[in-house]
Amino acid sequence: MNPLFRSPYLSLLFWLLSLSLCFGSATFLATAQEAPNLGASYQQQAIEISKVLRCPMATNQTLFESQAPIAHELKGQIFSLLEQGYKRDEILDFMVQRYGEKIRYQPEFKPATLALWLGPLVLLVVGLGLGLALIKRRPKPLKHNP
């Protein structure tokens, strides 16, 4: 018997404590290995969602790029909604319902946003048409006969 544990009760207590520490640490390690994977998954999803939403305060920046306080708050809210089980589309709908369609960095294609989607194409066609018309109307240079 170990001279430090002359009492059988102390020896038994030591072994029980050692066993509980071993099993407890194994359980802790198993839990610790699972938790970061879920957190990383939520974090990656939150990053992807924050890249398609516009910051209400910063001009022409996504939530992901913005350093405004409201952007940090909204990113935290996105992460929280993901932890609660909300899906990507549900979170986007929630944000649109709360902040309006302008929160989307690229609005949906619907009649109200038709000008946003087709406007640049129409301007390009009109510009090319005007350019071609001006080129055709330009007077031709006279040819000199020597």
Side-chain angles (χ1 to χ4, degrees):
M1 182 181 273
N2 189 346
L4 293 175
F5 302 113
R6 294 175 199 242
S7 164
Y9 296 113
L10 284 176
S11 181
L12 179 65
L13 182 64
F14 172 77
W15 287 111
L16 287 175
L17 194 66
S18 298
L19 284 174
S20 65
L21 283 174
C22 288
F23 289 122
S25 63
T27 305
F28 174 76
L29 278 175
T31 307
Q33 288 175 353
E34 289 176 14
N37 292 339
L38 291 175
S41 169
Y42 289 147
Q43 184 178 13
Q44 186 61 34
Q45 290 177 17
I47 288 171
E48 293 302 318
I49 293 171
S50 69
K51 286 182 179 179
V52 298
L53 293 175
R54 183 185 307 273
C55 177
M57 294 295 291
T59 306
N60 290 332
Q61 284 188 336
T62 63
L63 283 179
F64 180 74
E65 299 166 335
S66 177
Q67 295 298 317
I70 186 79
H72 290 294
E73 181 181 322
L74 290 176
K75 286 183 266 189
Q77 188 173 20
I78 290 169
F79 191 82
S80 174
L81 290 172
L82 284 169
E83 284 182 328
Q84 293 174 23
Y86 283 76
K87 303 289 182 228
R88 180 183 191 273
D89 293 336
E90 293 172 331
I91 294 172
L92 291 175
D93 291 341
F94 173 78
M95 292 293 183
V96 167
Q97 189 176 33
R98 187 166 183 192
Y99 294 98
E101 190 67 33
K102 66 181 180 179
I103 191 82
R104 288 185 185 267
Y105 208 72
Q106 290 186 336
E108 289 181 343
F109 188 76
K110 57 185 183 182
T113 60
L114 193 63
L116 288 173
W117 286 101
L118 297 180
L121 181 63
V122 169
L123 288 175
L124 178 68
V125 169
V126 168
L128 286 174
L130 282 173
L132 288 174
L134 288 174
I135 289 173
K136 285 186 177 185
R137 291 182 76 199
R138 192 171 58 180
K140 295 182 181 179
L142 296 173
K143 293 183 182 179
H144 295 320
N145 289 335

